[in-house]
Amino acid sequence: MEQLQHVAIIMDGNGRWAKAHGKVRTQGHLVGVDNVRNIAIKANDMNIKVLTVYAFSTENWKRPLEEVDYLMKLPALFFNKFMKELMEKNIKITMIGEMEGIPQETAKVLQRAIDETANNTGMILNFAMNYGSRREITLAAKKYALDVLNDKAGLDIDEKEFGKYFMTADFPEVDLLIRTSGELRLSNFLLWQIAYTEFMFVDEPWPEFTPERFEYYCNEFLKRDRRFGGIKQ
Ligand code: V0D
């Protein structure tokens, strides 16, 4: 593996970081937003093709209402602050997850960012929003079933074909998955996509995960020997 095509990140530890610094959780989220920009700019500079970040899961709706309300304002804040720079850097914004269920004001902001950057040809900054992997797999199965019913697909489907029913269909394979803040869980993220992905579980909470650390972990990944079940020449 010579170049990283696709890196995915579970951005954990904002609340814990805030508490450790005598701040409230939302202040941790606020610092976390700036860090999405910092890591995205670094990934773009490193010529990574796709950066997928887990912003909001289908499980996150269970958080206190005030926190959910606050989180739903962060996309607007992110784009107000950084859209100009994203455009200058030719970065394209995409989304996986379901728009349905996202508050209308937030959904509008997301759709606008997707539309405004649709013709950009640089790095793809892909936000997982209202995303859950089991939900994605279930939706893929439903879409396939419908295609079979409508004679648009046969029953002799293979993995490559079934992969086209996923929200990540247009993206290269996930090379590297990073989770910050020391937890060793996948939390319903990209379960289908991580069959050959290398994992890095790092101790830094998201607000302290610097572009330098990001580059360091990516370089560590590039040193690893990836065999894909075969024998490397
Ligand atoms: C808080 C750490 C950027 C994770 C990062 C809706 C928790 C900061 C966005 C964002 C969040 C999402 C979509 C988009 C543009 C920006 C974001 C949420 C939380 C939850 F199109 N940061 N960020 N969204 N945090």
Side-chain angles (χ1 to χ4, degrees):
M1 170 73 39
E2 311 68 34
Q3 239 294 117
L4 274 164
Q5 302 281 322
H6 189 170
V7 179
I9 308 182
I10 302 174
M11 309 181 288
D12 195 15
N14 298 283
R16 216 171 313 163
W17 176 86
K19 204 173 173 201
H21 289 79
K23 301 173 198 286
V24 294
R25 289 178 64 80
T26 50
Q27 287 176 294
H29 293 323
L30 201 56
V31 176
V33 172
D34 282 353
N35 207 33
V36 174
R37 176 262 170 206
N38 294 342
I39 300 297
I41 297 298
K42 182 67 176 181
N44 182 58
D45 290 344
M46 290 165 65
N47 281 321
I48 288 167
K49 300 282 172 275
V50 184
L51 180 70
T52 297
V53 292
Y54 206 0
F56 197 88
S57 76
T58 50
E59 287 76 29
N60 285 155
W61 297 111
K62 294 177 197 151
R63 291 190 181 183
L65 185 65
E66 307 82 66
E67 187 173 348
V68 171
D69 280 350
Y70 183 84
L71 289 169
M72 285 300 148
K73 294 188 179 111
L74 296 180
L77 188 124
F78 179 86
F79 291 123
N80 287 339
K81 241 173 146 175
F82 304 125
M83 182 53 101
K84 186 164 173 279
E85 187 180 19
L86 297 172
M87 289 302 292
E88 281 164 10
K89 302 244 177 205
N90 202 21
I91 291 171
K92 178 170 166 166
I93 301 294
T94 60
M95 223 73 69
I96 55 172
E98 289 172 278
M99 280 289 185
E100 211 177 302
I102 294 175
Q104 197 183 358
E105 279 310 305
T106 309
K108 265 192 219 163
V109 165
L110 300 176
Q111 196 54 56
R112 215 181 119 197
I114 293 168
D115 294 343
E116 279 180 21
T117 63
N119 294 323
N120 288 358
T121 55
M123 189 186 79
I124 293 170
L125 176 55
N126 180 40
F127 288 95
M129 281 287 292
N130 191 21
Y131 174 85
S133 189
R134 287 183 171 181
R135 175 88 184 135
E136 179 189 34
I137 294 168
T138 306
L139 288 173
K142 281 173 72 172
K143 272 190 268 172
Y144 172 57
L146 211 57
D147 276 1
V148 172
L149 276 175
N150 294 324
D151 279 327
K152 287 178 181 162
L155 282 172
D156 56 340
I157 193 167
D158 62 11
E159 293 167 21
K160 197 161 183 277
E161 280 296 313
F162 191 56
K164 290 181 186 165
Y165 290 92
F166 284 69
M167 295 161 179
T168 50
D170 296 335
F171 306 141
E173 293 279 332
V174 180
D175 300 307
L176 172 62
L177 171 68
I178 299 172
R179 180 173 188 143
T180 61
S181 207
E183 302 292 341
L184 307 180
R185 288 192 295 274
L186 284 175
S187 301
N188 203 13
F189 192 45
L190 302 177
L191 300 180
W192 166 270
Q193 292 86 350
I194 45 86
Y196 293 104
T197 300
E198 299 271 341
F199 294 167
M200 290 204 185
F201 296 97
V202 308
D203 284 333
E204 297 95 327
W206 178 247
E208 285 176 6
F209 187 70
T210 61
E212 291 69 35
R213 294 311 284 166
F214 177 72
E215 186 172 36
Y216 170 82
Y217 291 119
C218 289
N219 287 332
E220 284 301 301
F221 160 85
L222 292 170
K223 288 186 207 160
R224 285 185 189 175
D225 202 22
R226 298 177 81 207
R227 292 168 194 271
F228 299 99
I231 296 169
K232 210 176 179 187
Q233 297 304 304

